[in-house]
Amino acid sequence: MAPFHVHPSMSSLVGLLRLFPSMSLSTVKAFLSPPILGVVLQTYGAGNMPSNRTDILEEIQKASARGVIVLNVTQCPKGGVDAYYATGKVLLDAGVIPGADLTAESALAKLSYVLSKEEWDHATKKKKLQQNLRGELTLFDQDQKPHEQADLLAALGKALHVSSSKELDQVKEFLFPCVLCAAAKTGDISKIKNLIKHGADVSSMDYDSRTALHIACSEGNTKVARYLLSKGASVHVRDRNDRTPLMDAIKYGHVECVQVLVQCGACLNPNNADLATLVSRAVADENMKVLEAFKLAGADFNVHDPGKRTPLHLAVFLGKKEVVQFLLAAGASTATLDDLNMTPVQIAKRHERRDLVELLSHFDFKTELPRLEAVAAGAAEH
């Protein structure tokens, strides 16, 4: 803001016109007639006027065309003029300036000041009225100006018969997370950008407590996930099943999404009761992509299920040699005991899996680990 100084030469050619249901057209005409230069128009709700008073609207439009500056403020003690709704947008289209949350008193003072600045042209004066000069006006974020929101929010307001900005905020809070998640599911980044521009919170949750990042990671849409993360999406939000976006990416074997999430600080919860179950399921299904995703996320492959069986116990029991190789390369222990006090080697012997007995008994980390890591990496690619 510029340094403060007193400006005594205020314009007196301003007035305050408060709308009311039985207002006569002659009153409006008289109020807008020369030599008046500016009028503060006090409207209903969030900047609305009666839609059936086209006669008043025409007079306002004529005055605006003559150069009279009309500034729209609300009669309500709280809130402001949004110009989102059909009736409010009509005034905007007629040349009326939305005054946001200006009070009637500050609007009059500001209008009187702006009109007294002879060095400013008409366009500059209208622009100054929409700027915060001395803390009198709450500005919208650059990406959330009312005229940019008009199309989407006006449609919402009209369809749902919303009558105030507070109600519209409640609608946005309820609908935007669902629409954002739907856009993430289809990979529609342009729609996501548009929703963010209109005030959507990228970390807002839908009815299942899932965020758009949960959905993007479930679908394996790395591009959408990267964009959401660049806009501040949280990697730590848990849905109603206590799952983070990282767990969703792992569950469906979306390795690239896992890499992106880990780079942004995502990590597994070692106390998650589902962790052992999910790893065991991947072992049983021989799902190498999911196992690789777990590895990238830093999973402990020595985690055990209620029967104290580790993933390696299960892989040996099921005869999944490729999985056994992967787990050994990932650091799984061959000495862990299950609830029957058996190691994976003993299980292999009991089931006469000589190839696995050989693999487990003679596993040498120094010589075998590099080779098995290469095997595991190759398996995860298929």
Side-chain angles (χ1 to χ4, degrees):
M1 293 183 183
F4 176 79
H5 67 274
V6 177
H7 182 80
S9 303
M10 306 284 277
S11 174
S12 61
L13 301 177
V14 297
L16 176 67
L17 179 60
R18 184 182 177 93
L19 294 181
F20 57 91
S22 60
M23 176 175 278
S24 67
L25 181 61
S26 59
T27 300
V28 176
K29 283 183 176 180
F31 219 93
L32 296 174
S33 297
I36 200 77
L37 296 178
V39 172
V40 174
L41 182 68
Q42 277 195 292
T43 54
Y44 308 138
N48 312 321
M49 65 167 288
S51 57
N52 62 336
R53 294 304 303 268
T54 55
D55 53 344
I56 293 179
L57 182 63
E58 287 176 6
E59 287 302 318
I60 293 173
Q61 197 164 12
K62 289 177 184 177
S64 180
R66 291 197 308 269
V68 176
I69 294 179
V70 183
L71 184 59
N72 186 3
V73 300
T74 180
Q75 297 180 15
C76 300
K78 293 183 179 180
V81 172
D82 295 331
Y84 294 151
Y85 318 108
T87 49
K89 193 171 185 300
V90 165
L91 286 170
L92 184 68
D93 293 340
V96 177
I97 299 171
D101 59 349
L102 277 171
T103 63
E105 295 82 2
S106 61
L108 267 175
K110 187 173 187 177
L111 187 58
S112 180
Y113 165 73
V114 167
L115 288 172
S116 71
K117 302 290 283 185
E118 296 180 358
E119 64 271 28
W120 292 345
D121 60 20
H122 189 72
T124 301
K125 290 175 180 178
K126 294 182 73 172
K127 184 178 180 181
K128 291 292 183 180
L129 286 169
Q130 298 179 76
Q131 294 177 349
N132 181 27
L133 303 181
R134 288 292 167 189
E136 77 286 352
L137 178 68
T138 302
L139 290 176
F140 286 87
D141 184 78
Q142 187 65 28
D143 291 331
Q144 298 180 34
K145 291 181 180 177
H147 68 270
E148 293 176 346
Q149 299 188 18
D151 291 341
L152 176 63
L153 299 182
L156 276 175
K158 184 176 181 180
L160 300 175
H161 305 290
V162 174
S163 60
S164 71
S165 58
K166 183 178 180 180
E167 288 180 347
L168 187 62
D169 286 340
Q170 291 173 338
V171 170
K172 287 165 60 178
E173 185 179 350
F174 179 76
L175 289 181
F176 274 22
C178 299
V179 180
L180 198 61
C181 286
K185 184 176 180 64
T186 59
D188 193 340
I189 290 183
S190 62
K191 183 176 288 185
I192 293 172
K193 288 180 179 179
N194 192 38
L195 287 165
I196 293 173
K197 183 177 75 173
H198 289 91
D201 177 1
V202 290
S203 294
S204 58
M205 298 179 287
D206 68 4
Y207 48 85
D208 280 328
S209 298
R210 305 188 82 198
T211 66
L213 188 59
H214 278 94
I215 304 299
C217 292
S218 295
E219 297 296 322
N221 198 321
T222 309
K223 188 175 180 180
V224 172
R226 285 185 187 277
Y227 180 76
L228 291 168
L229 289 166
S230 73
K231 293 299 178 181
S234 174
V235 297
H236 303 299
V237 177
R238 299 178 182 276
D239 64 16
R240 68 175 183 176
N241 294 316
D242 200 37
R243 289 183 179 170
T244 61
L246 179 61
M247 286 301 295
D248 280 339
I250 292 172
K251 179 181 178 181
Y252 296 103
H254 299 311
V255 175
E256 287 187 17
C257 283
V258 172
Q259 290 174 324
V260 170
L261 291 167
V262 170
Q263 289 170 1
C264 292
C267 59
L268 289 171
N269 177 10
N271 299 318
N272 190 328
D274 290 336
L275 195 58
T277 302
L278 293 172
V279 175
S280 296
R281 186 178 300 164
V283 169
D285 294 340
E286 209 165 355
N287 193 327
M288 305 308 295
K289 283 190 175 181
V290 172
L291 289 172
E292 178 64 21
F294 268 117
K295 181 182 175 183
L296 286 171
D300 177 11
F301 285 112
N302 291 312
V303 65
H304 56 76
D305 64 14
K308 294 187 178 180
R309 293 187 306 176
T310 66
L312 188 57
H313 280 98
L314 181 60
V316 171
F317 174 77
L318 296 174
K320 307 284 188 180
K321 185 175 181 179
E322 187 179 13
V323 177
V324 171
Q325 291 176 321
F326 177 91
L327 292 172
L328 288 172
S333 173
T334 60
T336 307
L337 298 173
D338 63 12
D339 60 349
L340 298 176
N341 290 322
M342 296 186 70
T343 65
V345 178
Q346 291 171 323
I347 292 175
K349 288 179 179 178
R350 170 175 285 190
H351 292 276
E352 299 181 351
R353 289 300 307 262
R354 294 180 182 178
D355 55 338
L356 296 182
V357 172
E358 182 73 16
L359 180 62
L360 294 163
S361 299
H362 299 90
F363 184 75
D364 185 336
F365 277 93
K366 289 184 179 180
T367 59
E368 290 294 304
L369 188 56
R371 182 181 68 81
L372 291 181
E373 282 181 338
V375 171
E381 292 177 0
H382 298 291

